Amino acid sequence: MKYIKTLCLTALMMLCLTSQAQFFQDMNRQQWMLKVELGAMPFMSNEGHPGDYGYFLNNYQSAIGLDVIGGLNLNQDFFVGLGAGGYYAANIATPSVFNIAATAFADIDYRPIWSSHGDDNTPQTYRLAPMAGIRGGMSVLLDDAERYGTNFDPYGEIYAGVNWYYRHGLRNMEHNWYSLYLQIGIAYMQQTVFLPVRIGWRM
């Protein structure tokens, strides 16, 4: 009987330790992260139907802006988050005519972190890895536009790029998924198609 109790106690302890190890493993695979991006968005075209005063951005404006996105790594390779951005849009030929816009959006991206193995068959992070993503939400004009005033409009974007993992190393290295990245895409907001080019810091 004592042998059975000892066996059961050992099994329970092993189960607790396994559960605890799984919990910490999951925590290591799901980490909160922040992305900060600075970008330029050259004008491509106006889309949709102009109103009585033309398009919302009616002066062939390009834009520059800053995006901040907070979210969660899922299984390390995927990121899902929510973000906000602010943009200054103007035509370089007529800089006195400008608009201020803001965005709020959901962001999903994929970028592999681990190579299959290193030189000694130990899993390692990539130094450089591709990335691809999509985001969607809303945009709004914040300036006091005489033509349309404050205007809400859908915002969407698809993008691809490359990550540089500057803490390249072994699997157990802390925060080795931090990266600097460059991405380019196609975006739509305020009846305008842009070609966004961004540099970002994932931390």
Side-chain angles (χ1 to χ4, degrees), residues 42-97:
F43 172 88
M44 296 293 289
S45 66
N46 288 122
E47 299 295 336
H49 300 286
D52 295 335
Y53 301 98
Y55 294 103
F56 299 140
L57 298 178
N58 205 35
N59 195 39
Y60 307 104
Q61 290 102 316
S62 296
I64 57 173
L66 177 70
D67 294 294
V68 178
I69 306 142
L72 186 68
N73 271 332
L74 301 178
N75 293 325
Q76 297 184 341
D77 291 344
F78 290 90
F79 173 85
V80 178
L82 296 175
Y87 292 90
Y88 171 86
N91 188 322
I92 193 171
T94 54
S96 60
V97 180

Side-chain angles (χ1 to χ4, degrees), residues 13-157:
M13 290 178 63
M14 291 298 295
L15 182 61
C16 291
L17 290 173
T18 302
S19 299
Q20 186 178 21
Q22 183 63 45
F23 171 77
F24 283 110
Q25 182 180 2
D26 290 341
M27 287 298 292
N28 288 333
R29 294 170 65 85
Q30 298 180 5
Q31 296 287 338
W32 288 100
M33 298 207 76
L34 185 68
K35 296 199 297 184
V36 179
E37 301 173 348
L38 182 64
M41 300 174 61
F43 172 88
M44 296 293 289
S45 66
N46 288 122
E47 299 295 336
H49 300 286
D52 295 335
Y53 301 98
Y55 294 103
F56 299 140
L57 298 178
N58 205 35
N59 195 39
Y60 307 104
Q61 290 102 316
S62 296
I64 57 173
L66 177 70
D67 294 294
V68 178
I69 306 142
L72 186 68
N73 271 332
L74 301 178
N75 293 325
Q76 297 184 341
D77 291 344
F78 290 90
F79 173 85
V80 178
L82 296 175
Y87 292 90
Y88 171 86
N91 188 322
I92 193 171
T94 54
S96 60
V97 180
F98 64 88
N99 297 90
I100 303 296
T103 57
F105 54 88
D107 178 49
I108 302 172
D109 75 35
Y110 169 78
R111 74 278 179 263
I113 292 179
W114 299 108
S115 61
S116 57
H117 56 78
D119 295 336
D120 58 352
N121 291 325
T122 303
Q124 289 187 323
T125 54
Y126 288 105
R127 288 187 183 274
L128 294 173
M131 66 180 293
I134 186 170
R135 57 184 60 168
M138 297 295 294
S139 64
V140 59
L141 290 178
L142 299 178
D143 54 329
D144 186 17
E146 296 180 0
R147 295 178 295 113
Y148 292 110
T150 300
N151 181 71
F152 286 90
D153 201 49
Y155 163 66
E157 182 176 335

